[in-house]
Amino acid sequence: MIFIAVKFRVLPEHADRWPEIARDFTEATRAEEGCLWFDWSRSLEDPNEYVLLEAFRDEDAGAAHVQSEHFKTAQRTLPPHLAETPRVINTPVQQDDWSRLGEMAVDSES
C-alpha cells in the first residue's frame, strides 16, 4: 500500500471549521475504490494543525487519487484556508492494513 501522512497548518480563523471545509474532499476520497483510509486528527498541542493519515491500495490507486476531479478541486479550494504549504510523508508499505501494537496488547482480545 501507499501510506501518506500530511500535516496541515490551518489559518486560525478557519481552524474550527476545517473538517467542514475539507468535507467534500474527504468524502469523495473515501469513496475511491483504491482508498483504504483517509482519517483526520487535530493536534493536541496546536489547535491550528490537522494531521491526515491516508492509505491507498497501490501506486495506481494513489495516482488515480491525485488525478481525480475532487483532488484538483481541493488544490484550488483548500490552500486559501492554510497558513503554510502542507508537509507530507509518502512511502510504500508492505502491508494492507494496520498491524497490532504488541507492546500494548489488550488482554481481553486474546
Side-chain angles (χ1 to χ4, degrees):
M1 75 177 164
I2 303 300
F3 180 78
I4 303 164
V6 189
K7 287 190 172 190
F8 289 80
R9 291 214 9 97
V10 179
L11 291 168
E13 61 268 27
H14 301 293
D16 287 340
R17 291 185 40 247
W18 182 253
E20 176 188 331
I21 291 165
R23 176 168 288 133
D24 289 345
F25 179 52
T26 299
E27 290 176 358
T29 301
R30 287 177 176 166
E32 292 177 26
E33 181 182 334
C35 180
L36 300 175
W37 61 81
F38 196 84
D39 297 327
W40 292 96
S41 299
R42 194 171 191 179
S43 171
L44 297 176
E45 287 80 31
D46 180 354
N48 300 323
E49 183 176 79
Y50 285 83
V51 177
L52 174 61
L53 297 181
E54 52 187 303
F56 295 90
R57 180 186 59 238
D58 53 29
E59 288 184 23
D60 290 340
H65 169 64
V66 173
Q67 295 165 7
S68 70
E69 277 307 311
H70 54 271
F71 188 89
K72 292 174 186 173
T73 297
Q75 286 179 296
R76 291 188 310 272
T77 61
L78 297 184
H81 303 280
L82 300 176
E84 63 184 32
T85 301
R87 294 167 289 146
V88 64
I89 297 171
N90 181 328
T91 188
V93 177
Q94 297 302 312
Q95 60 192 70
D96 60 4
D97 202 353
W98 292 90
S99 298
R100 299 227 179 233
L101 181 60
E103 294 84 356
M104 293 190 187
V106 175
D107 291 335
S108 63
E109 292 180 337
S110 40

